[in-house]
């Protein structure tokens, strides 16, 4: 055993000596540091989409390391040629980084005279005295600063006299050109109108479309636009039109451009529009098309404008034209414009109410479309009345101050009132009053006539006197709806 151990130790010592001798024979290993350099770093975000809707946002930021020049002032330049034969100065920096915003970079690209706006390769470098950094590249999607969306037809000053005898004939074929590259993605167009000189304070949508460059308008459609703007029938009025073009990029950013305004003259004709009724689980009648469905109130000055301020449950609703029928049915497929199934087609999507509460919905019907807005309404300061009634010689109980013809209060909305099957007398007058009392008494409120020639309008809350409502329709049975939040009313024959 002792001999074996001695033999093992001998072998180990021999091996160790061999290693030591081998190390003595090897050359010394030297680690060489890389040569210091002026280096521009390539950004990980090398694909840049310039969003014309956010001109002041950074387009890109370049950074660099410079252990060589000791400079405190750097110039950054770009070129669309990799040999920098025509460099453009982007700016200067006293630090080791430089940012440029969307508008300035886009302008620099435009100044090169290139006709390419999508997938354009741009070369960037930095200079410090006589030293030049390496080059980094970006793939840029730029946008034209001139041209944009331009209406080519109609022209400023064109006139259109509309005829009820030609409702289905095309009177205007709108045309436009768009300089935005198609490669940027699909473009959604909204053709907007407004009364001339109002800076589009109130807009009526003429039509919409995706990746289109024209839109045909019939006499009926253009007439609805003119009436929706408040132009009186048989009277020429000036209308401004423009096109809003939007594109959503891959990051979900909305890119928006607006054309220059074109002003035309339109002479509309008189036409009537149907009443509309609420249906859906956001409303009192639920999804029952013949359940005393709430009438939507009308703008007495704009026959195709419907306005309803009231309480909505969380849920959905649509609009019907005929009680007991599901078509014609109005809704929305995109959350901003109106859509209709006049019968035999596909039903539109519903208006969605995410949070229960009071809202004002404003609908303007244009042909088989149109637009709408919705805004929250604060009803906390509005009084809640115990009763609401009609009084006057057009009503069943005449001017008997102790015997109003009372409305029924809506179960879902204490500010909404209705009377069904009330007999109203031709040639008589009436008022709407709260709590069965006259001005001067506690909790009094009286609504007065404001001159509507239709069976709908908006009355004034006036306790100091004013006009009575004249009733000029034939004597007969009517349903009456009234909203004490804004004084709107509608009278519907049975």
């Amino acid at each position: 055993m002792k001999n074996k151990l001695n033999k093992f130790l001998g072998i180990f010592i021999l091996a160790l000596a061999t290693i030591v001798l081998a190390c003595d024979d090897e050359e010394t290993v030297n680690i060489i540091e890389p040569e210091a350099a002026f280096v521009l770093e390539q950004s990980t975000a090398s694909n840049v989409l310039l969003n014309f809707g956010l001109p002041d946002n950074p387009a890109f930021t370049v950074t660099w390391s410079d252990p060589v020049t000791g400079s405190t002032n750097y110039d950054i330049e770009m070129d669309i040629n990799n040999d920098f034969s025509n460099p453009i100065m982007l700016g200067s920096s006293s630090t080791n980084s430089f940012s440029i915003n969307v508008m300035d970079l886009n302008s620099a690209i435009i100044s090169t005279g290139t006709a390419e706006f999508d997938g354009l390769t741009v070369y960037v470098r930095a200079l410090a005295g006589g030293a030049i950094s390496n080059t980094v590249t970006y793939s840029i999607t730029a946008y034209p600063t001139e041209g944009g969306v331009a209406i080519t037809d109609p022209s400023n000053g064109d006139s259109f006299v509309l005829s009820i005898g030609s409702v289905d004939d095309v009177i205007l074929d709108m045309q436009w050109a768009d300089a935005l590259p198609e490669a940027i993605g699909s473009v959604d167009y909204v053709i907007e109108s407004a009364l001339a000189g109002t800076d589009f304070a109130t807009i009526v949508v003429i039509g919409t479309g995706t990746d289109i460059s024209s839109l045909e308008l019939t006499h009926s459609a253009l007439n609805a636009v003119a009436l929706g703007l408040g132009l009186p029938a048989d009277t020429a009025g000036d209308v401004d039109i423009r096109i809003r073009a939007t594109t959503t990029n891959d990051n979900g950013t909305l890119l928006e451009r607006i054309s220059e305004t074109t002003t035309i003259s339109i002479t509309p004709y008189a036409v009537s529009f149907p009443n509309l009724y609420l249906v859906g689980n956001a409303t009192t009648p639920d999804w029952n098309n013949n359940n005393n469905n709430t009438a939507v109130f009308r703008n007495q000055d704009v026959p195709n404008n419907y306005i309803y301020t009231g309480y909505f449950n969380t849920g959905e609703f649509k609009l019907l034209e005929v009680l007991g029928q599901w078509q014609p049915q109005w809704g929305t497929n995109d959350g901003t414009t109106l859509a209709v199934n006049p019968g035999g087609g596909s039903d539109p999507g519903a208006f969605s109410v995410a949070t229960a509460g009071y809202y004002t919905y404003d609908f303007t019907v244009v042909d088989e479309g149109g637009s709408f807005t919705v805004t929250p309404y604060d009803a906390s300061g509005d009084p809640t009345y115990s009763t609401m009634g009609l009084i006057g010689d057009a009503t069943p109980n005449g001017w008997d101050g102790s015997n109003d013809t009372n409305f029924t209060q809506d179960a879902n909305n204490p500010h909404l009132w209705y009377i069904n099957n009330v007999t109203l007398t031709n040639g008589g007058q009436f008022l709407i009053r709260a709590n069965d009392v006259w001005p001067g008494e506690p909790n009094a409120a009286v609504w007065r006539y404001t001159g509507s020639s239709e069976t709908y309008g908006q009355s004034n809350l006036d306790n100091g006197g004013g006009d009575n409502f004249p009733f000029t329709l034939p004597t007969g049975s009517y349903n009456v709806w009234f909203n004490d939040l804004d004084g709107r009313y509608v009278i519907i024959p049975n």
Side-chain angles (χ1 to χ4, degrees), residues 222-233:
L222 193 57
N223 192 71
V225 169
L227 294 176
L229 292 170
L231 291 182

Side-chain angles (χ1 to χ4, degrees), residues 191-210:
I191 300 86
E192 300 177 335
S193 67
L195 292 177
T198 62
D199 196 26
F200 290 85
T202 300
I203 293 172
V204 169
V205 173
I206 295 176
T208 63
T210 300

Side-chain angles (χ1 to χ4, degrees), residues 158-162 195-196 226 230-239 264-269:
D158 285 355
S159 297
F160 300 90
V161 179
L162 307 178
L195 292 177
L231 291 182
D234 303 319
T235 302
D238 288 339
V239 173
I264 60 176
S265 173
I266 304 177
T267 304
Y269 56 83

